[in-house]
Amino acid sequence: MTDFKRIDFADVPGGALAACERLPNSPGVYGFFSPTPVLPTDDPEEFIATLNALVEQRASPVQSTRAGSLYHLTLDNFSHLSQRKQEVLREHAQDANFREELATIVERCMPLRAPLYVGQTATLQTRIKQHLAPSSDLAIRLRSTGLAIDRCVIAYRLMPDIKALRTPEVLTLTEEIVTRLLRPGYVSRIG
């Protein structure tokens, strides 16, 4: 996403709505990403707890559906460190240099994560403001797993000023391609 511009809502004085004022109201493709974590490195126990919470963060809301008249299926997308890896973490987390280096690695790998959500719009600023409303479908889906949309990172790319690339059909096609490539967990329907 090298030519996508990124704005971390948490870094903008005034928060997410103030960050929206920096966005052009032009056609574009965008993605919401998990908030950038800050791992506390002073205290080993706090470091371990925060790192575990980050690893265990859900990648999508729980999905439930019926399968026929007798079955109910639930899909849950989460992760955790094995008992053995927990022991290794606990042992090495006592070393301040280890905590500092691991915190740096975690921070640097965050841009490599899949987006939470991908979208497209003819009016980027307006659309992002709509998503930020507490009652928006995306804000509700994120909140269901403990994520606050106004603490996320937004990445966007404006569509070039070429008529064909700014049509609703091509914007939707672009969104679908990006969604299918990046597989964000909080998209309720593709396209």
Side-chain angles (χ1 to χ4, degrees):
M1 300 191 94
T2 56
D3 106 297
F4 275 67
K5 294 182 179 163
R6 296 176 73 87
I7 300 175
D8 189 333
F9 290 154
D11 289 344
V12 177
L17 287 176
C20 282
E21 297 306 319
R22 298 180 179 186
L23 297 172
N25 223 6
S26 302
V29 177
Y30 61 92
F32 280 92
F33 290 80
S34 292
T36 305
V38 176
L39 288 173
T41 56
D42 292 338
D43 176 77
E45 293 304 315
E46 191 177 354
F47 176 81
I48 292 167
T50 304
L51 185 58
N52 277 323
L54 182 61
V55 167
E56 293 169 5
Q57 186 178 56
R58 297 200 181 290
S60 65
V62 174
Q63 301 290 328
S64 297
T65 190
R66 291 187 59 88
S69 59
L70 299 175
Y71 302 98
H72 186 87
L73 302 173
T74 300
L75 297 175
D76 199 358
N77 189 342
F78 67 95
S79 188
H80 66 276
L81 295 175
S82 69
Q83 183 62 37
R84 175 67 186 128
K85 294 299 189 292
Q86 286 287 348
E87 293 166 6
V88 172
L89 175 61
R90 184 159 297 288
E91 174 187 340
H92 291 284
Q94 303 312 309
D95 179 346
N97 289 328
F98 171 83
R99 292 191 307 271
E100 288 290 335
E101 286 304 314
L102 191 53
T104 299
I105 290 168
V106 168
E107 178 187 348
R108 300 264 166 78
C109 78
M110 287 299 109
L112 303 175
R113 292 174 75 180
L116 301 168
Y117 179 85
V118 167
Q120 60 78 24
T121 183
T123 55
L124 184 64
Q125 184 183 93
T126 300
R127 184 66 179 130
I128 301 307
K129 284 181 180 179
Q130 291 169 345
H131 283 308
L132 290 171
S135 61
S136 79
D137 289 343
L138 179 57
I140 291 167
R141 283 194 303 277
L142 291 172
R143 218 173 23 252
S144 76
T145 59
L147 292 169
I149 194 167
D150 62 346
R151 305 299 297 167
C152 287
V153 174
I154 184 88
Y156 67 94
R157 183 176 193 282
L158 299 179
M159 296 304 278
D161 196 12
I162 298 170
K163 186 176 180 180
L165 294 175
R166 292 178 168 225
T167 65
E169 298 82 19
V170 171
L171 282 169
T172 302
L173 171 65
T174 303
E175 174 192 25
E176 181 157 343
I177 291 168
V178 172
T179 299
R180 291 189 185 281
L181 290 172
L182 301 181
R183 300 174 192 207
Y186 288 82
V187 170
S188 61
R189 65 177 172 76
I190 297 177

